Amino acid sequence: MASLRIREAKEGDCADILRLVRVRAAGGKLGGQSRAALRADGFGENPFYHCLVAEILPAPGELQGKSQGIGSKIITKVAEVALDKGCSQFRLAVLDWNKRAMDLYKALGAQDLTEAEGWHSFRFEGEAMREMAGR
Amino acid sequence: MASLRIREAKEGDCADILRLVRVRAAGGKLGGQSRAALRADGFGENPFYHCLVAEILPAPGELQGKSQGIGSKIITKVAEVALDKGCSQFRLAVLDWNKRAMDLYKALGAQDLTEAEGWHSFRFEGEAMREMAGR
């Protein structure tokens, strides 16, 4: 069986993180991230984000790409980190076509706040921000 | 006309912030916040949140409670802070019955990501977190 390790990201992981962000971006609407920005935002004095990395070492002869239950293991790790930091809850954003992720989150005990309570997420982007700030 | 000042919150504002959180909680599903937690989370070394405060001084004889356009002024200030910090966007969560807030955000240039792209917000609470973490 493959061995799986989940650990905190290091600055040297930024190239790989960016590669994965771009794989996602091809199917979604992310984009614009650069390696320098990822470094500055995640590994400066007051980081904007924290990141976990899953390292998989397939067992000899084992099929690559087989599900390793990484999703639930990463979310379990997030729960541990959150409890250690004294958080009473944490939230995830997910696209409604991503049924597999939604089913996983529900199976792990999460509630769909958009469905249950009607929460909507609003985004202000650069142009709107600059217009408001008069810049 | 009333004078309105928007400034960063100080530790001494926590009692008032908590009071306002509780006013909201009566109509919504917030709750559980204590003044000690607000202090620790917002004014420690690596704060979990930042907060702006709107101070209003009504002009003599002016009706209290008259709209001062505080909502759009606070959001404009958030845009300024975000631009100063190098953010490329910021997001707000809003309940679907809060049409007035949604209309304001749209008028200021925000996009409803839940409506436009299908983003849902999922929440893991204490019990689910502890179950996952085996605590």
Side-chain angles (χ1 to χ4, degrees):
Chain A
M1 198 179 160
S3 84
L4 170 64
R5 187 167 78 109
I6 293 169
R7 60 165 175 82
E8 273 187 50
K10 297 170 299 196
E11 198 168 342
D13 294 317
C14 283
D16 286 326
I17 296 169
L18 188 61
R19 190 170 49 76
L20 292 168
V21 169
R22 287 189 174 142
V23 170
R24 297 296 309 169
K29 310 215 169 170
L30 298 167
Q33 287 85 353
S34 75
R35 206 191 300 184
L38 272 185
R39 282 219 172 101
D41 291 351
F43 302 92
E45 204 165 322
N46 288 305
F48 280 143
Y49 72 88
H50 296 274
C51 183
L52 296 170
V53 164
E55 288 179 325
I56 308 171
L57 191 69
E62 194 178 32
L63 279 175
Q64 291 261 351
K66 196 184 144 200
S67 167
Q68 309 287 347
I70 299 172
S72 70
K73 281 171 189 159
I74 285 234
I75 291 171
T76 297
K77 181 71 181 174
V78 171
E80 289 169 7
V81 172
L83 287 168
D84 288 345
K85 286 183 186 288
C87 297
S88 58
Q89 57 170 254
F90 67 92
R91 297 190 186 190
L92 297 174
V94 58
L95 282 160
D96 57 6
W97 54 256
N98 198 349
K99 185 113 182 26
R100 210 173 138 196
M102 287 177 134
D103 287 345
L104 173 64
Y105 300 162
K106 282 179 185 169
L108 293 172
Q111 197 185 16
D112 182 341
L113 289 188
T114 301
E115 196 181 81
E117 299 178 5
W119 285 99
H120 280 226
S121 175
F122 274 69
R123 177 176 61 203
F124 289 86
E125 286 191 330
E127 200 180 317
M129 290 159 68
R130 284 187 296 274
E131 187 149 325
M132 279 190 277
R135 297 189 191 171
Chain B
M1 197 183 159
S3 85
L4 171 65
R5 187 167 78 106
I6 292 170
R7 59 165 176 81
E8 273 188 50
K10 298 171 298 197
E11 201 170 340
D13 294 316
C14 284
D16 287 326
I17 296 169
L18 188 61
R19 191 170 47 78
L20 292 168
V21 168
R22 288 191 174 141
V23 170
R24 298 293 310 167
K29 310 215 172 173
L30 298 167
Q33 287 86 353
S34 74
R35 206 194 295 183
L38 272 184
R39 282 219 171 100
D41 291 352
F43 302 92
E45 204 166 321
N46 288 304
F48 280 144
Y49 72 88
H50 296 273
C51 184
L52 297 171
V53 164
E55 287 178 326
I56 309 171
L57 191 68
E62 193 178 32
L63 278 176
Q64 290 263 351
K66 195 185 141 199
S67 167
Q68 307 288 348
I70 299 174
S72 71
K73 281 171 190 158
I74 285 235
I75 292 172
T76 298
K77 182 69 182 177
V78 171
E80 290 169 8
V81 172
L83 287 167
D84 287 344
K85 288 184 184 289
C87 297
S88 58
Q89 57 172 256
F90 67 92
R91 298 189 186 191
L92 296 175
V94 60
L95 282 160
D96 57 6
W97 54 257
N98 198 348
K99 184 111 185 23
R100 209 171 139 197
M102 287 177 134
D103 287 347
L104 172 64
Y105 301 163
K106 283 180 184 167
L108 291 172
Q111 196 186 16
D112 182 342
L113 289 188
T114 300
E115 195 181 83
E117 299 177 5
W119 285 99
H120 281 227
S121 176
F122 274 69
R123 176 176 62 200
F124 288 86
E125 286 191 329
E127 199 181 317
M129 289 159 70
R130 283 187 296 273
E131 187 149 328
M132 278 191 278
R135 294 187 194 175

